[in-house]
mmCIF file of all heavy atoms in Angstrom:
data_model
loop_
_atom_site.group_PDB
_atom_site.id
_atom_site.type_symbol
_atom_site.label_atom_id
_atom_site.label_comp_id
_atom_site.label_asym_id
_atom_site.label_seq_id
_atom_site.Cartn_x
_atom_site.Cartn_y
_atom_site.Cartn_z
ATOM 1 N N TYR A 377 -1.490 -11.848 12.709
ATOM 2 C CA TYR A 377 -0.736 -12.350 13.859
ATOM 3 C C TYR A 377 -1.667 -12.365 15.133
ATOM 4 O O TYR A 377 -2.390 -11.344 15.273
ATOM 5 C CB TYR A 377 0.501 -11.556 14.119
ATOM 6 C CG TYR A 377 1.323 -12.058 15.258
ATOM 7 C CD1 TYR A 377 2.383 -12.946 15.027
ATOM 8 C CD2 TYR A 377 1.110 -11.621 16.613
ATOM 9 C CE1 TYR A 377 3.139 -13.376 16.072
ATOM 10 C CE2 TYR A 377 1.842 -12.056 17.634
ATOM 11 C CZ TYR A 377 2.914 -12.968 17.391
ATOM 12 O OH TYR A 377 3.660 -13.409 18.448
ATOM 13 N N PRO A 378 -1.652 -13.324 15.942
ATOM 14 C CA PRO A 378 -2.512 -13.352 17.162
ATOM 15 C C PRO A 378 -1.879 -12.513 18.315
ATOM 16 O O PRO A 378 -1.379 -13.092 19.237
ATOM 17 C CB PRO A 378 -2.607 -14.836 17.535
ATOM 18 C CG PRO A 378 -1.311 -15.385 17.058
ATOM 19 C CD PRO A 378 -0.920 -14.640 15.798
ATOM 20 N N PHE A 379 -1.945 -11.245 18.145
ATOM 21 C CA PHE A 379 -1.276 -10.369 19.180
ATOM 22 C C PHE A 379 -1.927 -10.597 20.591
ATOM 23 O O PHE A 379 -3.131 -10.557 20.765
ATOM 24 C CB PHE A 379 -1.378 -8.905 18.832
ATOM 25 C CG PHE A 379 -0.697 -8.573 17.570
ATOM 26 C CD1 PHE A 379 -1.331 -8.355 16.373
ATOM 27 C CD2 PHE A 379 0.765 -8.420 17.578
ATOM 28 C CE1 PHE A 379 -0.645 -8.080 15.209
ATOM 29 C CE2 PHE A 379 1.391 -8.107 16.397
ATOM 30 C CZ PHE A 379 0.737 -7.945 15.240
ATOM 31 N N ARG A 380 -1.053 -10.791 21.552
ATOM 32 C CA ARG A 380 -1.515 -10.974 22.957
ATOM 33 C C ARG A 380 -1.652 -9.643 23.669
ATOM 34 O O ARG A 380 -2.630 -9.338 24.258
ATOM 35 C CB ARG A 380 -0.593 -11.930 23.716
ATOM 36 C CG ARG A 380 -0.544 -13.309 23.130
ATOM 37 C CD ARG A 380 0.424 -14.245 23.896
ATOM 38 N NE ARG A 380 1.802 -13.692 23.946
ATOM 39 C CZ ARG A 380 2.673 -13.887 22.966
ATOM 40 N NH1 ARG A 380 2.317 -14.640 21.925
ATOM 41 N NH2 ARG A 380 3.863 -13.406 22.978
ATOM 42 N N ASP A 381 -0.579 -8.910 23.712
ATOM 43 C CA ASP A 381 -0.582 -7.584 24.373
ATOM 44 C C ASP A 381 0.319 -6.620 23.720
ATOM 45 O O ASP A 381 0.930 -6.933 22.704
ATOM 46 C CB ASP A 381 -0.172 -7.741 25.918
ATOM 47 C CG ASP A 381 1.185 -8.429 26.053
ATOM 48 O OD1 ASP A 381 2.103 -8.043 25.358
ATOM 49 O OD2 ASP A 381 1.295 -9.409 26.827
ATOM 50 N N VAL A 382 0.479 -5.435 24.266
ATOM 51 C CA VAL A 382 1.154 -4.333 23.616
ATOM 52 C C VAL A 382 2.648 -4.634 23.428
ATOM 53 O O VAL A 382 3.271 -4.090 22.562
ATOM 54 C CB VAL A 382 0.953 -3.006 24.466
ATOM 55 C CG1 VAL A 382 1.694 -3.086 25.798
ATOM 56 C CG2 VAL A 382 1.417 -1.822 23.672
ATOM 57 N N LYS A 383 3.199 -5.542 24.231
ATOM 58 C CA LYS A 383 4.580 -5.939 24.067
ATOM 59 C C LYS A 383 4.864 -6.594 22.737
ATOM 60 O O LYS A 383 6.028 -6.624 22.273
ATOM 61 C CB LYS A 383 5.014 -6.925 25.221
ATOM 62 C CG LYS A 383 4.968 -6.229 26.560
ATOM 63 C CD LYS A 383 5.388 -7.243 27.691
ATOM 64 C CE LYS A 383 5.321 -6.581 29.022
ATOM 65 N NZ LYS A 383 5.567 -7.559 30.117
ATOM 66 N N ASP A 384 3.841 -7.156 22.127
ATOM 67 C CA ASP A 384 3.984 -7.782 20.824
ATOM 68 C C ASP A 384 4.064 -6.712 19.690
ATOM 69 O O ASP A 384 4.487 -7.067 18.553
ATOM 70 C CB ASP A 384 2.819 -8.691 20.452
ATOM 71 C CG ASP A 384 2.779 -9.915 21.352
ATOM 72 O OD1 ASP A 384 3.888 -10.314 21.765
ATOM 73 O OD2 ASP A 384 1.708 -10.536 21.484
ATOM 74 N N LEU A 385 3.656 -5.499 19.906
ATOM 75 C CA LEU A 385 3.529 -4.510 18.868
ATOM 76 C C LEU A 385 4.858 -3.800 18.578
ATOM 77 O O LEU A 385 5.609 -3.593 19.496
ATOM 78 C CB LEU A 385 2.450 -3.451 19.257
ATOM 79 C CG LEU A 385 1.030 -3.970 19.548
ATOM 80 C CD1 LEU A 385 0.136 -2.807 20.008
ATOM 81 C CD2 LEU A 385 0.438 -4.674 18.322
ATOM 82 N N ARG A 386 5.028 -3.493 17.304
ATOM 83 C CA ARG A 386 6.218 -2.730 16.894
ATOM 84 C C ARG A 386 5.822 -1.428 16.140
ATOM 85 O O ARG A 386 6.634 -0.591 15.967
ATOM 86 C CB ARG A 386 7.050 -3.597 15.962
ATOM 87 C CG ARG A 386 7.690 -4.805 16.594
ATOM 88 C CD ARG A 386 8.642 -4.459 17.700
ATOM 89 N NE ARG A 386 9.228 -5.623 18.348
ATOM 90 C CZ ARG A 386 8.632 -6.209 19.425
ATOM 91 N NH1 ARG A 386 7.550 -5.759 19.952
ATOM 92 N NH2 ARG A 386 9.159 -7.338 19.962
ATOM 93 N N ASP A 387 4.562 -1.322 15.746
ATOM 94 C CA ASP A 387 4.109 -0.124 15.013
ATOM 95 C C ASP A 387 4.088 1.044 16.022
ATOM 96 O O ASP A 387 3.353 1.043 17.014
ATOM 97 C CB ASP A 387 2.679 -0.403 14.456
ATOM 98 C CG ASP A 387 2.179 0.819 13.714
ATOM 99 O OD1 ASP A 387 2.856 1.876 13.636
ATOM 100 O OD2 ASP A 387 1.000 0.756 13.247
ATOM 101 N N PRO A 388 4.867 2.085 15.840
ATOM 102 C CA PRO A 388 4.903 3.206 16.780
ATOM 103 C C PRO A 388 3.570 3.915 16.906
ATOM 104 O O PRO A 388 3.236 4.403 17.978
ATOM 105 C CB PRO A 388 5.953 4.158 16.161
ATOM 106 C CG PRO A 388 6.039 3.798 14.728
ATOM 107 C CD PRO A 388 5.777 2.331 14.697
ATOM 108 N N PHE A 389 2.743 3.894 15.867
ATOM 109 C CA PHE A 389 1.397 4.534 15.938
ATOM 110 C C PHE A 389 0.571 3.717 16.925
ATOM 111 O O PHE A 389 -0.240 4.283 17.726
ATOM 112 C CB PHE A 389 0.759 4.544 14.543
ATOM 113 C CG PHE A 389 1.319 5.579 13.698
ATOM 114 C CD1 PHE A 389 2.359 5.349 12.755
ATOM 115 C CD2 PHE A 389 0.788 6.932 13.678
ATOM 116 C CE1 PHE A 389 2.855 6.335 11.975
ATOM 117 C CE2 PHE A 389 1.333 7.880 12.854
ATOM 118 C CZ PHE A 389 2.368 7.582 12.002
ATOM 119 N N ALA A 390 0.628 2.384 16.838
ATOM 120 C CA ALA A 390 -0.191 1.596 17.714
ATOM 121 C C ALA A 390 0.271 1.696 19.193
ATOM 122 O O ALA A 390 -0.567 1.788 20.052
ATOM 123 C CB ALA A 390 -0.091 0.108 17.260
ATOM 124 N N VAL A 391 1.559 1.657 19.418
ATOM 125 C CA VAL A 391 2.099 1.809 20.764
ATOM 126 C C VAL A 391 1.719 3.133 21.348
ATOM 127 O O VAL A 391 1.314 3.165 22.508
ATOM 128 C CB VAL A 391 3.635 1.626 20.779
ATOM 129 C CG1 VAL A 391 4.190 1.892 22.125
ATOM 130 C CG2 VAL A 391 3.981 0.182 20.312
ATOM 131 N N SER A 392 1.767 4.215 20.574
ATOM 132 C CA SER A 392 1.454 5.529 21.028
ATOM 133 C C SER A 392 -0.061 5.610 21.316
ATOM 134 O O SER A 392 -0.443 6.185 22.410
ATOM 135 C CB SER A 392 1.742 6.597 19.966
ATOM 136 O OG SER A 392 1.310 7.871 20.252
ATOM 137 N N ARG A 393 -0.907 5.024 20.480
ATOM 138 C CA ARG A 393 -2.360 5.013 20.725
ATOM 139 C C ARG A 393 -2.706 4.295 22.048
ATOM 140 O O ARG A 393 -3.515 4.740 22.764
ATOM 141 C CB ARG A 393 -3.036 4.447 19.509
ATOM 142 C CG ARG A 393 -4.564 4.187 19.744
ATOM 143 C CD ARG A 393 -5.190 3.771 18.515
ATOM 144 N NE ARG A 393 -6.549 3.191 18.778
ATOM 145 C CZ ARG A 393 -7.472 2.904 17.868
ATOM 146 N NH1 ARG A 393 -7.192 3.120 16.557
ATOM 147 N NH2 ARG A 393 -8.563 2.345 18.179
ATOM 148 N N TYR A 394 -2.111 3.129 22.182
ATOM 149 C CA TYR A 394 -2.300 2.407 23.449
ATOM 150 C C TYR A 394 -1.926 3.165 24.671
ATOM 151 O O TYR A 394 -2.729 3.256 25.633
ATOM 152 C CB TYR A 394 -1.442 1.065 23.321
ATOM 153 C CG TYR A 394 -1.700 0.158 24.521
ATOM 154 C CD1 TYR A 394 -2.498 -0.893 24.393
ATOM 155 C CD2 TYR A 394 -0.920 0.269 25.658
ATOM 156 C CE1 TYR A 394 -2.727 -1.820 25.476
ATOM 157 C CE2 TYR A 394 -1.054 -0.561 26.777
ATOM 158 C CZ TYR A 394 -1.976 -1.582 26.652
ATOM 159 O OH TYR A 394 -2.155 -2.487 27.693
ATOM 160 N N GLN A 395 -0.801 3.883 24.653
ATOM 161 C CA GLN A 395 -0.338 4.587 25.823
ATOM 162 C C GLN A 395 -1.309 5.805 26.022
ATOM 163 O O GLN A 395 -1.579 6.180 27.207
ATOM 164 C CB GLN A 395 1.056 5.123 25.614
ATOM 165 C CG GLN A 395 1.654 5.726 26.854
ATOM 166 C CD GLN A 395 1.674 4.774 28.050
ATOM 167 O OE1 GLN A 395 2.071 3.639 27.942
ATOM 168 N NE2 GLN A 395 1.158 5.261 29.178
ATOM 169 N N GLN A 396 -1.835 6.401 24.987
ATOM 170 C CA GLN A 396 -2.742 7.487 25.124
ATOM 171 C C GLN A 396 -3.984 7.074 25.891
ATOM 172 O O GLN A 396 -4.542 7.782 26.743
ATOM 173 C CB GLN A 396 -3.164 8.102 23.770
ATOM 174 C CG GLN A 396 -2.069 8.903 23.098
ATOM 175 C CD GLN A 396 -2.443 9.311 21.691
ATOM 176 O OE1 GLN A 396 -3.612 9.435 21.345
ATOM 177 N NE2 GLN A 396 -1.382 9.376 20.785
ATOM 178 N N VAL A 398 -4.196 4.570 27.956
ATOM 179 C CA VAL A 398 -3.821 4.363 29.411
ATOM 180 C C VAL A 398 -3.799 5.665 30.136
ATOM 181 O O VAL A 398 -4.251 5.788 31.257
ATOM 182 C CB VAL A 398 -2.407 3.641 29.491
ATOM 183 C CG1 VAL A 398 -1.891 3.570 30.917
ATOM 184 C CG2 VAL A 398 -2.516 2.210 28.887
ATOM 185 N N PRO A 404 -7.428 0.210 27.375
ATOM 186 C CA PRO A 404 -6.571 -0.033 26.180
ATOM 187 C C PRO A 404 -6.872 -1.359 25.511
ATOM 188 O O PRO A 404 -6.370 -1.556 24.421
ATOM 189 C CB PRO A 404 -5.133 0.042 26.790
ATOM 190 C CG PRO A 404 -5.329 -0.387 28.214
ATOM 191 C CD PRO A 404 -6.674 0.141 28.671
ATOM 192 N N GLU A 405 -7.580 -2.265 26.196
ATOM 193 C CA GLU A 405 -7.883 -3.510 25.523
ATOM 194 C C GLU A 405 -8.731 -3.311 24.307
ATOM 195 O O GLU A 405 -8.690 -4.069 23.372
ATOM 196 C CB GLU A 405 -8.631 -4.440 26.551
ATOM 197 C CG GLU A 405 -8.955 -5.793 25.960
ATOM 198 C CD GLU A 405 -7.794 -6.574 25.337
ATOM 199 O OE1 GLU A 405 -6.620 -6.417 25.789
ATOM 200 O OE2 GLU A 405 -8.004 -7.378 24.347
ATOM 201 N N ASP A 407 -8.332 -0.927 22.228
ATOM 202 C CA ASP A 407 -7.305 -0.592 21.187
ATOM 203 C C ASP A 407 -6.582 -1.862 20.773
ATOM 204 O O ASP A 407 -6.392 -2.080 19.564
ATOM 205 C CB ASP A 407 -6.258 0.411 21.725
ATOM 206 C CG ASP A 407 -6.898 1.699 22.138
ATOM 207 O OD1 ASP A 407 -7.183 2.516 21.255
ATOM 208 O OD2 ASP A 407 -7.100 1.941 23.386
ATOM 209 N N MET A 408 -6.292 -2.733 21.699
ATOM 210 C CA MET A 408 -5.623 -3.980 21.338
ATOM 211 C C MET A 408 -6.532 -4.820 20.466
ATOM 212 O O MET A 408 -6.035 -5.457 19.480
ATOM 213 C CB MET A 408 -5.310 -4.827 22.596
ATOM 214 C CG MET A 408 -3.998 -4.412 23.242
ATOM 215 S SD MET A 408 -2.556 -4.439 22.246
ATOM 216 C CE MET A 408 -2.545 -6.144 21.618
ATOM 217 N N GLU A 409 -7.783 -4.842 20.719
ATOM 218 C CA GLU A 409 -8.734 -5.584 19.849
ATOM 219 C C GLU A 409 -8.736 -5.079 18.443
ATOM 220 O O GLU A 409 -8.725 -5.825 17.434
ATOM 221 C CB GLU A 409 -10.175 -5.548 20.414
ATOM 222 C CG GLU A 409 -11.143 -6.478 19.717
ATOM 223 C CD GLU A 409 -10.744 -7.902 19.734
ATOM 224 O OE1 GLU A 409 -10.136 -8.396 20.761
ATOM 225 O OE2 GLU A 409 -10.932 -8.591 18.739
ATOM 226 N N PHE A 411 -6.127 -3.492 17.050
ATOM 227 C CA PHE A 411 -4.850 -3.899 16.443
ATOM 228 C C PHE A 411 -4.785 -5.323 15.972
ATOM 229 O O PHE A 411 -4.193 -5.646 14.981
ATOM 230 C CB PHE A 411 -3.676 -3.614 17.499
ATOM 231 C CG PHE A 411 -3.561 -2.241 17.972
ATOM 232 C CD1 PHE A 411 -3.197 -2.033 19.324
ATOM 233 C CD2 PHE A 411 -3.839 -1.144 17.153
ATOM 234 C CE1 PHE A 411 -3.099 -0.705 19.799
ATOM 235 C CE2 PHE A 411 -3.781 0.154 17.638
ATOM 236 C CZ PHE A 411 -3.375 0.431 18.965
ATOM 237 N N ARG A 412 -5.485 -6.208 16.763
ATOM 238 C CA ARG A 412 -5.469 -7.620 16.358
ATOM 239 C C ARG A 412 -6.176 -7.749 14.984
ATOM 240 O O ARG A 412 -5.782 -8.591 14.146
ATOM 241 C CB ARG A 412 -6.240 -8.484 17.411
ATOM 242 C CG ARG A 412 -5.452 -8.579 18.699
ATOM 243 C CD ARG A 412 -6.207 -9.486 19.693
ATOM 244 N NE ARG A 412 -5.507 -9.470 20.971
ATOM 245 C CZ ARG A 412 -5.990 -8.841 22.055
ATOM 246 N NH1 ARG A 412 -7.165 -8.186 21.950
ATOM 247 N NH2 ARG A 412 -5.330 -8.780 23.191
ATOM 248 N N ASP A 417 0.968 -3.957 11.991
ATOM 249 C CA ASP A 417 1.965 -5.078 12.288
ATOM 250 C C ASP A 417 1.505 -6.377 11.736
ATOM 251 O O ASP A 417 2.346 -7.317 11.515
ATOM 252 C CB ASP A 417 2.176 -5.187 13.798
ATOM 253 C CG ASP A 417 3.082 -4.106 14.323
ATOM 254 O OD1 ASP A 417 3.867 -3.539 13.538
ATOM 255 O OD2 ASP A 417 2.987 -3.849 15.522
ATOM 256 N N ILE A 440 10.538 -8.481 14.816
ATOM 257 C CA ILE A 440 9.165 -8.616 15.135
ATOM 258 C C ILE A 440 8.845 -10.134 15.123
ATOM 259 O O ILE A 440 9.446 -10.934 14.391
ATOM 260 C CB ILE A 440 8.251 -7.880 14.168
ATOM 261 C CG1 ILE A 440 6.785 -7.811 14.638
ATOM 262 C CG2 ILE A 440 8.375 -8.417 12.728
ATOM 263 C CD1 ILE A 440 5.885 -6.931 13.762
ATOM 264 N N ASN A 441 7.905 -10.549 15.946
ATOM 265 C CA ASN A 441 7.595 -11.929 16.072
ATOM 266 C C ASN A 441 7.150 -12.621 14.771
ATOM 267 O O ASN A 441 6.443 -12.018 13.972
ATOM 268 C CB ASN A 441 6.504 -12.212 17.155
ATOM 269 C CG ASN A 441 6.956 -11.870 18.541
ATOM 270 O OD1 ASN A 441 8.137 -11.778 18.799
ATOM 271 N ND2 ASN A 441 6.021 -11.728 19.455
#
Side-chain angles (χ1 to χ4, degrees):
Y377 183 92
F379 295 104
R380 296 180 300 276
D381 55 47
V382 69
K383 294 177 182 177
D384 290 335
L385 302 177
R386 296 294 180 270
D387 179 3
F389 285 92
V391 174
S392 173
R393 170 172 164 171
Y394 183 95
Q395 189 58 49
Q396 287 172 31
V398 172
E405 180 54 31
D407 299 281
M408 278 303 305
E409 189 57 36
F411 302 144
R412 290 184 189 105
D417 282 335
I440 187 173
N441 291 345

